[in-house]
């Protein structure tokens, strides 16, 4: 706080000195330069701490940018999910008893999304983690206490449990999910969350 006040004092002193010199010069008049100097001094003196205003400025600028970035990421995710679905169809094996659990899970997610999209997204993420872990355990891979979607799918791809197309799709989903869940700099519109939920449920189906 003392440093801030010292900086303001120095700025004001410089501006007042320049203004005084300009007025004392022959033929000096009140021109645009003088007005600007006065404005600088006034701003330095009376403007509140910039840090108090920066969160609002940051919110507007980052919010606009983040929304555009989020839209682009969802569009990219859509393309990756289609690739993962095609790969899953090509590698589809016999139906297992665990596949029967997918439909009720999706129904529960969709029901929750109509009430609270953010809660539905968290539920979807949990179901994806559970299903990825289940598939790895069925393949004899010990996941321990690893619940990360990205790490689970990477292990599955490396062990040929999942097709390689799953890697990009699940990693992109986790990345966008994190941006939505932790996007404190801007408010995410529900339409983006619902789009993400729709793509995530397609991934949940693809795992089965």
């Amino acid at each position: 706080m003392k440093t801030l006040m010292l900086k303001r004092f120095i700025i004001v002193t410089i501006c007042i000195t320049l203004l005084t010199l300009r007025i004392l010069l022959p033929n000096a008049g009140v021109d645009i330069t003088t007005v600007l100097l006065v404005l600088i001094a006034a701003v330095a003196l009376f403007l509140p701490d910039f840090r108090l205003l920066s969160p609002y400025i940051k919110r507007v600028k980052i919010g606009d940018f983040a929304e555009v970035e989020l839209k682009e990421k969802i569009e990219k995710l859509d393309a990756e999910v289609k690739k993962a679905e095609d790969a899953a169809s090509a590698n589809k094996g016999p139906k297992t008893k665990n596949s029967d659990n997918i439909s009720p899970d999706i129904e529960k997610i969709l029901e929750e999304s109509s009430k609270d999209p953010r809660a539905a997204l968290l539920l979807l993420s949990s179901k994806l983690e559970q299903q990825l872990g289940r598939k790895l355990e069925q393949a004899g891979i010990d996941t321990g206490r690893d619940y990360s979607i990205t790490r689970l799918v990477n292990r599955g791809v490396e062990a040929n449990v999942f097709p390689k197309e799953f890697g990009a799709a699940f990693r992109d989903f986790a990345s966008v999910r994190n941006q939505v869940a932790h996007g404190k700099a801007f408010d995410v519109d529900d339409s983006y969350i619902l789009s993400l939920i729709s793509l995530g449920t397609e991934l949940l189906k693809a795992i089965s």
Side-chain angles (χ1 to χ4, degrees):
M1 187 68 180
K2 290 181 179 179
T3 303
L4 179 62
M5 293 302 296
L6 178 60
K7 288 180 179 179
R8 287 183 177 176
F9 176 76
I10 293 172
I11 293 172
V12 171
T13 302
I14 292 173
C15 291
I16 291 175
T17 301
L18 291 174
L19 181 59
T20 302
L21 289 174
R22 185 169 184 82
I23 293 174
L24 293 177
L25 288 175
N27 301 319
V30 181
D31 56 10
I32 186 62
T33 305
T34 304
V35 172
L36 287 175
L37 288 172
V38 173
L39 286 175
I40 292 172
V43 168
L45 274 172
F46 301 111
L47 185 66
D49 191 343
F50 183 75
R51 286 173 297 181
L52 298 177
L53 299 178
S54 61
Y56 301 99
I57 297 172
K58 183 179 179 183
R59 185 182 185 89
V60 172
K61 291 184 177 179
I62 292 183
D64 293 342
F65 173 78
E67 187 171 343
V68 172
E69 182 188 28
L70 180 60
K71 182 179 179 181
E72 292 174 350
K73 284 186 176 181
I74 290 178
E75 290 173 353
K76 180 175 179 290
L77 174 61
D78 186 21
E80 295 296 344
V81 169
K82 286 183 172 64
K83 293 178 185 177
E85 288 178 309
D86 291 341
S89 298
N91 292 278
K92 191 174 182 180
K95 187 178 180 181
T96 67
K97 62 179 182 178
N98 287 318
S99 298
D100 295 331
N101 296 326
I102 293 296
S103 186
D105 285 344
I106 291 177
E107 288 179 5
K108 189 181 296 184
I109 291 165
L110 294 178
E111 180 182 352
E112 185 65 34
S113 67
S114 65
K115 297 181 291 186
D116 187 344
R118 287 180 181 273
L121 181 59
L122 293 176
L123 177 61
L124 170 60
S125 297
S126 175
K127 296 299 181 183
L128 285 170
E129 291 162 2
Q130 290 173 13
Q131 192 66 7
L132 286 169
R134 213 175 271 137
K135 289 295 181 181
L136 291 177
E137 288 173 2
Q138 288 174 3
I141 300 173
D142 182 17
T143 61
R145 298 179 63 83
D146 193 346
Y147 303 117
S148 165
I149 288 178
T150 299
R151 288 197 292 270
L152 289 172
V153 78
N154 284 345
R155 293 180 69 178
V157 170
E158 290 170 1
N160 294 317
V161 176
F162 308 130
K164 61 181 176 54
E165 289 83 0
F166 273 31
F170 280 86
R171 284 194 298 271
D172 285 356
F173 173 84
S175 174
V176 179
R177 185 273 316 271
N178 290 340
Q179 183 174 351
V180 169
H182 306 298
K184 297 179 181 179
F186 72 111
D187 295 323
V188 181
D189 191 273
D190 283 353
S191 62
Y192 293 115
I193 303 177
L194 292 173
S195 295
L196 186 56
I197 290 172
S198 176
L199 293 172
T201 55
E202 294 303 316
L203 289 178
L204 191 55
K205 293 176 186 176
I207 306 175
S208 64

